[in-house]
Amino acid sequence: MEDIEIETVGEATLRDPVLVEGLPGVGHVGKLAVEHLVEEFDSEELTRVYADEFPPQVTVDDDGVTELAHASFHAVSTDGPDLLILTGDHQAQSHAGHYHLTDTFLDIAEDMGAESVYALGGVPTGELVEEPDVLGAVATNGGIDPLSDAGVEFREGEPAGGIVGVSGLLLGLGGRRGLSAACLMGETSGYLVDPTSAQAVLEVLETVVGFEVGYESLEERAEEMKEVVEKIQQMQGQQQGMPTDDDLRYIG
Amino acid sequence: MEDIEIETVGEATLRDPVLVEGLPGVGHVGKLAVEHLVEEFDSEELTRVYADEFPPQVTVDDDGVTELAHASFHAVSTDGPDLLILTGDHQAQSHAGHYHLTDTFLDIAEDMGAESVYALGGVPTGELVEEPDVLGAVATNGGIDPLSDAGVEFREGEPAGGIVGVSGLLLGLGGRRGLSAACLMGETSGYLVDPTSAQAVLEVLETVVGFEVGYESLEERAEEMKEVVEKIQQMQGQQQGMPTDDDLRYIG
Amino acid sequence: MEDIEIETVGEATLRDPVLVEGLPGVGHVGKLAVEHLVEEFDSEELTRVYADEFPPQVTVDDDGVTELAHASFHAVSTDGPDLLILTGDHQAQSHAGHYHLTDTFLDIAEDMGAESVYALGGVPTGELVEEPDVLGAVATNGGIDPLSDAGVEFREGEPAGGIVGVSGLLLGLGGRRGLSAACLMGETSGYLVDPTSAQAVLEVLETVVGFEVGYESLEERAEEMKEVVEKIQQMQGQQQGMPTDDDLRYIG
Amino acid sequence: MEDIEIETVGEATLRDPVLVEGLPGVGHVGKLAVEHLVEEFDSEELTRVYADEFPPQVTVDDDGVTELAHASFHAVSTDGPDLLILTGDHQAQSHAGHYHLTDTFLDIAEDMGAESVYALGGVPTGELVEEPDVLGAVATNGGIDPLSDAGVEFREGEPAGGIVGVSGLLLGLGGRRGLSAACLMGETSGYLVDPTSAQAVLEVLETVVGFEVGYESLEERAEEMKEVVEKIQQMQGQQQGMPTDDDLRYIG
């Protein structure tokens, strides 16, 4: 096996697709958002990326069949522009691995004609957020106005630690390639898988990219999470404050 | 020294051997199982694999003679098909090291004519298991039926974290090479070296591969472990629950 | 992206510049010091160094625009010799990364004509220091006298752990190249961002390099830090000792 | 800088030298032992080995002059065979780094004509040892008898964890090259720098290599350590047991 291997698993003709990335991260906001798009629209898995920087691990599906750790590109046809969705379950082990994987992701996306990139994720607030704002950051000055018009907040000094991982590098390396790249980050507690924040991010994406999607399934999932939170809060009636990471580990 | 070095230490003619891997892991189930096969049948160490991703370490045998960290392939003649046993004391340090070592292991096994792979291991349950089930996972849909017939359980969502390390990659990388690969995981507490679980795994392997082996020595070892567990439980009479990792570190 | 990429972002003619490095470290002394020089004098960013050993991260500026992790060289014109300032927000992830980055930094500096190097930093004392001394170390015997004359202390066995990171390697690798290299380390508690210590280091640099700079802004920042310290000490009135790392994380 | 760089710093004619290694480790036994030889006999530093796997660090000597992290070979003339001493302050960062450095050390030693190797170190016992035994391990069966005759103990199952780091690999990789290689490990508490254990190891080396050395300075140092231990034991009068790592960090 090479350091990185690209496997073609499907075919689709994409017209000027927009790359939309959602890998695991804070509140699984990005991953929930892109998985929602893959499920709601006609979609086709095109390409898998295997890497020796991913965990040495297979997942086991419900039939007992294993799959080697990988990231996937999906072609998604909306009522507006075509989307090229990047998702997966893993990030790289080392700093260098992050750089080389993101470079590969950008190579693939550019080969498929993508010229703009949206990295989706969450930004932790430390407390439950009922109506999450969406924070933004862009790779060049060019793209801020349409995002602001769509309700994205640009706040001085936020996110405080910058943007890390593949999302950050899609802007950092994508910007250096001349791509138009933006990061949309939904506010989220940081303690829970957060479908509400994922919806907020998608509503912005709808506006700026130009498509429409339904949210019934995400809203159902958000209801379920609300019930979980209420149960935890009751259980912790006599205790103080937020559920801890340990309480919530089984969720999601 | 190269990154990985292969040393031939013995010779044997193997007819369509089945690769059976048992490296250190949960409950040492896989390693106990394959060591039992090497001891019970006529066997010959064929090949050693040294790697700069193994710990920089020598072991010292009972005569004071050292051996550099390595993994070994053994030819094992049963009353049924020939086995090619892979065992050792170490896993790689980095993610990339795991991938490259497993690729080397598969190269060696394929050179010796192996077309099917069984990765043996344990799956932790968190409590003592008197009659361990054996869970399964396969690299392709093909091989589930004979395993189910032999009593292997395929349970949705288990093992929860997927399969990691060399065992996982033998399925992940082996499957991508077109090999028939399965993982057999004996239930085990996760706290103790577990000969009973190793026997359960071997009983499945007997059926699916087609050989017969005695279990006297494993059963004796299981008896010894039972006595150890009873002593620990007495010692902890006034305390609650399972022995801790620290209590049990000296065992095995 | 290559392991290390050098990007030219500005131009300036430098006459026999002196390389002055200030990367993040104890008390942010070195970084505060060189940033002060960049702000007080006419300066121009010349070169950026990107590296896959830097964190996979972008920072977000006040306009919401991201920048990929990098180190920068700035040309700084003083009333004395020209300075070539090296600063940034990151160090490498691995040992090898530190060596290769520092080698690249030295290549760039030598290409621009630098023959002497000052690495600026802090040395932790574990307690608040009102009037910090500046400790020194040099790459060869040659340069101690002028530093001693400028008030730099050379104390047996200090700093106890040697000098680590890019600062250490600028002396270690720079010295092996035949460059004149010295490290100036301001005493600092190790708990707080320390503008007072940065000023002490700069006052030595003024003398040995031969330029003059004002300190109004650093002194203001030192005043602010004093007030922060006083507030923390009041808050901890009934508790003992120094503020903890956690108390102070938000500072700086 | 290359991954590993070899610098010639002195010259000496060595006749069939014996390689003796003492790098930092348990009780600093190996390092104390080889430094004693370098100090007691005529010796000359021949070669330095720099490596990007060593810490990115310079040490500062008593004159304020820095030295880049390295390992050194010294030629040592005894009243018996010539010794080639390998010492230093560092081990490699990664597993692979350990392998490649040790390979380089063996290349250098073989170039200088060494055919036998003694790796010196300590083996932790967890309690103070007044008269430490010396445990042994060898790379091949050949060399046990002369060591046993010199009082070296070969005990089943010891050292329990094998031998790690450069010492272990000198046997593991040296043995694979056909060199005669042995490890001599002085018993030591594991809590303290232990000149008494270093002397015990050297007394064995004297016998098996065939030279004589005085121990006055090591004995003085052992006396000092005894006083330190007594003071700590008094300080801990009302407490139980051995000094902790923290108590002893300032020693040595």
Side-chain angles (χ1 to χ4, degrees), chain A residues 1-3 5-7 50-69 91-93, chain B residues 94-96 98-100 103 137-141 144 154 156-159 161-165 168-169 171-173 176:
Chain A
M1 161 143 172
E2 303 298 308
D3 295 356
E5 280 191 14
I6 300 168
E7 185 178 57
Y50 300 92
D52 66 9
E53 282 270 337
F54 282 148
Q57 187 177 355
V58 290
T59 51
V60 183
D61 72 14
D62 290 346
D63 296 324
V65 179
T66 54
E67 279 198 355
L68 183 58
Q91 299 247 2
Q93 180 177 38
Chain B
S94 72
H95 288 179
H98 273 93
Y99 280 86
H100 300 159
D103 250 348
V138 299
T140 60
N141 276 302
I144 287 180
F154 289 86
E156 260 188 57
E158 291 195 36
I163 306 167
V164 296
L169 291 185
L171 272 70
L173 296 173
R176 293 192 69 219

Side-chain angles (χ1 to χ4, degrees), chain B residues 1 5 7 50-58 60 62-66 68 93, chain D residues 95-96 98-100 103 137-139 141 144 156 161-165 168-169 176:
Chain B
M1 161 144 171
E5 280 191 14
E7 184 178 58
Y50 301 90
D52 66 9
E53 282 271 336
F54 282 148
Q57 187 178 357
V58 290
V60 183
D62 290 345
D63 297 323
V65 179
T66 55
L68 184 59
Q93 181 177 38
Chain D
H95 288 177
H98 273 93
Y99 280 85
H100 299 160
D103 249 348
V138 298
N141 276 302
I144 287 180
E156 261 188 56
I163 305 167
V164 296
L169 290 185
R176 293 191 70 219

Side-chain angles (χ1 to χ4, degrees), chain D residues 98-161:
Chain D
H98 273 93
Y99 280 85
H100 299 160
L101 260 174
T102 308
D103 249 348
T104 301
F105 293 154
L106 287 167
D107 287 345
I108 293 171
E110 287 197 294
D111 279 355
M112 294 190 186
E115 291 179 1
S116 67
V117 180
Y118 292 91
L120 309 187
V123 61
T125 59
E127 52 190 29
L128 293 176
V129 186
E130 298 250 329
E131 297 190 6
D133 284 332
V134 176
L135 268 64
V138 298
T140 58
N141 276 302
I144 287 180
D145 288 352
L147 292 174
S148 288
D149 294 348
V152 175
E153 304 262 333
F154 290 87
R155 295 185 194 148
E156 261 188 56
E158 290 195 35

